[in-house]
């Protein structure tokens, strides 16, 4: 029976993330109702806390194939069912929502979770969403930048006077509650394709989450290099930058050829169904995806070495390791996915944690240490 490894302080952190696909992991499983799917998601978050994840993320999407349109609500319920794990938006789409309501919702979540909130924000990459909200796609970046500046002020100030392009002006506005965490909760900027996100993060001296999802590693590395350059330009210490990097849910076996054999039909079916456009998915084989992308397929030793190599390249303190990602979503059942991740936290994570020091997420808002997972 698997026994989770202790979550040790001063060590690399791991973030679970999901977009809450309407149909859960495993095509062979019977379809779940929406109610059942949400219950499964909450249990998945509880399992993630027990197995050794440091944070659990839900990404905001407004898409008929996904159930993650309200991450603040989902994370608030997860907060009531967990005790240690950080609660993260992966990402919150500030370009579509009213910044005053966003500030209120997530400040409330920060209190309900005893100060466990981290916000990752982004423009959003879902083409369905702008039409649902009747927001021109050409305005999304500008709306994100404006909304974030207002959220920052509302979390830090009382009696805010403000005027922008995309919502009515404010005069003497104060929200309740302000966040529990003081200073205000950490805000990361989700980065996938554009320097607009790295520039915005650098301007404010905020941390960066490099999605590292479906592109080549070098593409994401270039964006992280740009982020560090712009941090220095804006007067921040680039050497102090917080960076997180995403990778896909692992497939771990004793022999690498067995892992590749398990992953290959998933890879080929996914490319045929979803990723036939080379501009969206620039890999011509599974081996290419493993060598030059974010796939974790192989032995525990191979996956450990890959993560340590990536960490040396990116200089990150967090790995976002999906729980419902590229491989797990399409064919393997939930039990198999959990089995790979349990092995990951038993054999891979302890080595990576020992190699990469960070004090991120090691204490509560009052400075006391978080409990250790037994």
């Amino acid at each position: 029976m698997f026994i989770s490894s202790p979550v040790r302080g001063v060590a690399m952190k791991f973030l679970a993330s999901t977009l809450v696909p309407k149909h859960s992991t495993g095509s062979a499983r019977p379809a779940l109702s929406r109610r059942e799917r949400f219950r499964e998601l909450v249990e998945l978050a509880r399992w993630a806390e027990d197995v050794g994840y440091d944070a659990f993320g839900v990404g905001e999407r407004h898409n008929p194939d996904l159930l993650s349109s309200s991450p603040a609500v989902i994370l608030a319920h997860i907060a009531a069912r967990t005790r240690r794990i950080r609660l993260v938006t992966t990402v919150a789409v500030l370009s579509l929502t009213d910044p005053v309501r966003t500030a209120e919702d997530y400040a409330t979540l920060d209190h309900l979770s005893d100060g466990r909130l981290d916000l990752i924000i982004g423009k959003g990459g879902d083409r369905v969403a702008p039409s649902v909200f009747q927001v021109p796609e050409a305005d999304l970046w500008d709306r994100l930048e404006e909304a974030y500046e207002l959220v920052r002020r509302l979390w830090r100030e009382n009696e805010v006077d403000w005027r922008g392009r995309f919502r009515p002006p404010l005069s003497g506005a104060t929200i309740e509650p302000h966040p529990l965490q003081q200073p205000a909760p950490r805000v990361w900027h989700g980065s996938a394709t554009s320097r607009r996100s790295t520039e915005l993060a650098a301007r404010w001296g905020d941390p960066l989450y490099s999605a590292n999802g479906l592109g080549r590693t070098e593409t994401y590395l270039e964006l992280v290099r740009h982020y560090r350059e712009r941090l220095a330009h804006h007067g921040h210490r680039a050497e102090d930058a917080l960076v997180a990097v995403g990778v896909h849910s692992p497939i771990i076996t004793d022999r690498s050829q067995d892992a590749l054999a398990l992953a290959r039909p998933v890879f080929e079916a996914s490319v045929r169904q979803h990723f036939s456009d080379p501009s969206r998915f620039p890999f011509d084989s599974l081996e290419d995806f493993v060598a030059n992308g974010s796939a974790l397929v192989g032995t525990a030793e191979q996956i450990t070495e890959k993560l340590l190599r990536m960490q040396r390249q990116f200089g990150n303190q967090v790995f976002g390791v999906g729980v419902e990602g590229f491989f797990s979503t399409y064919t393997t059942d939930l039990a198999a996915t959990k089995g790979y991740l349990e092995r990951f936290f038993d054999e891979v994570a302890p080595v990576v944690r020992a190699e990469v020091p960070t004090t991120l997420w090691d204490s509560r808002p009052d400075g006391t240490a978080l409990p250790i997972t037994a």
Side-chain angles (χ1 to χ4, degrees):
M1 182 174 120
F2 177 83
I3 301 175
S4 60
S5 301
V7 176
R8 296 180 288 174
V10 198
M12 168 69 76
K13 300 302 189 290
F14 293 93
L15 162 69
S17 62
T18 177
L19 296 176
V20 198
K22 188 181 295 183
H23 302 292
S24 62
T25 300
S27 57
R29 301 179 67 212
L32 300 178
S33 69
R34 291 171 178 81
R35 174 173 171 270
E36 290 169 332
R37 182 70 179 105
F38 279 124
R39 288 192 170 198
E40 180 182 68
L41 174 67
V42 174
E43 291 307 310
L44 187 62
R46 295 181 65 189
W47 171 86
E49 179 173 72
D50 290 341
V51 81
Y53 275 107
D54 303 282
F56 191 87
V58 174
E60 179 182 346
R61 294 292 189 275
H62 303 274
N63 183 311
D65 293 327
L66 305 170
L67 298 177
S68 54
S69 58
S70 300
V73 176
I74 295 171
L75 291 172
H77 187 62
I78 290 172
R81 302 293 302 278
T82 56
R83 68 190 187 98
R84 171 192 58 80
I85 203 164
R86 297 292 296 187
L87 304 172
V88 185
T89 58
T90 53
V91 300
V93 186
L94 265 62
S95 56
L96 297 176
T97 53
D98 181 80
V100 175
R101 189 55 189 264
T102 296
E104 293 173 335
D105 284 349
Y106 285 107
T108 301
L109 173 56
D110 196 43
H111 280 270
L112 292 172
S113 66
D114 291 329
R116 287 188 278 151
L117 172 68
D118 273 53
L119 204 63
I120 304 178
I121 65 170
K123 170 187 73 72
D126 192 337
R127 294 182 180 179
V128 176
S131 63
V132 171
F133 286 86
Q134 298 189 1
V135 173
E137 287 197 45
D139 290 342
L140 290 176
W141 279 113
D142 291 342
R143 290 174 65 95
L144 171 66
E145 293 177 8
E146 179 178 293
Y148 176 49
E149 183 172 358
L150 180 53
V151 168
R152 283 182 60 90
R153 291 193 60 191
L154 290 168
W155 275 1
R156 290 165 171 80
E157 302 174 28
N158 293 316
E159 299 184 359
V160 173
D161 296 323
W162 178 89
R163 182 177 296 273
R165 290 174 55 199
F166 300 110
R167 78 168 316 280
L170 300 177
S171 177
T174 299
I175 67 161
E176 280 294 343
H178 278 73
L180 174 62
Q181 294 178 78
Q182 295 297 327
R186 186 181 294 103
V187 178
W188 305 68
H189 296 255
S191 170
T193 59
S194 173
R195 288 188 172 194
R196 291 283 298 262
S197 56
T198 51
E199 176 64 29
L200 184 62
R203 183 196 315 166
W204 292 104
D206 291 333
L208 189 76
Y209 187 96
S210 177
N212 199 30
L214 301 175
R216 300 183 82 81
T217 299
E218 185 56 38
T219 300
Y220 299 102
L221 273 172
E222 190 281 327
L223 287 168
V224 173
R225 292 187 195 108
H226 175 259
Y227 163 64
R228 286 197 165 94
E229 291 169 2
R230 298 303 294 172
L231 274 173
H233 172 83
H234 289 290
H236 305 291
R237 286 170 50 90
E239 59 269 29
D240 294 337
L242 280 176
V243 175
V245 174
V247 290
H248 289 288
S249 185
I251 293 180
I252 304 176
T253 58
D254 290 337
R255 302 189 311 164
S256 59
Q257 57 265 44
D258 294 336
L260 290 168
L262 288 167
R264 195 174 307 283
V266 186
F267 174 85
E268 293 174 351
S270 301
V271 170
R272 284 194 305 271
Q273 185 175 357
H274 300 285
F275 305 120
S276 57
D277 182 355
S279 67
R280 291 190 60 217
F281 190 70
F283 301 100
D284 56 18
S285 68
L286 173 60
E287 286 76 7
D288 188 19
F289 190 26
V290 172
N292 300 299
S294 52
L296 300 182
V297 179
T299 66
E301 292 78 10
Q302 288 171 327
I303 290 173
T304 300
E305 176 52 38
K306 176 170 181 172
L307 292 181
L308 291 174
R309 182 172 64 252
M310 290 179 68
Q311 197 283 327
R312 289 191 293 269
Q313 292 173 304
F314 284 94
N316 57 301
Q317 297 87 356
V318 179
F319 274 116
V321 183
V323 289
E324 294 182 305
F326 186 96
F327 292 107
S328 61
T329 300
Y330 293 103
T331 60
T332 56
D333 61 33
L334 189 58
T337 299
K338 285 182 173 180
Y340 295 134
L341 285 165
E342 287 170 351
R343 186 165 180 180
F344 177 91
F345 279 101
D346 194 34
E347 300 179 36
V348 176
V351 180
V352 179
R353 289 192 198 277
E355 293 287 330
V356 184
T358 177
T359 57
L360 178 70
W361 298 338
D362 278 346
S363 62
R364 297 186 177 93
D366 62 3
T368 59
L370 285 167
I372 299 296
T373 300

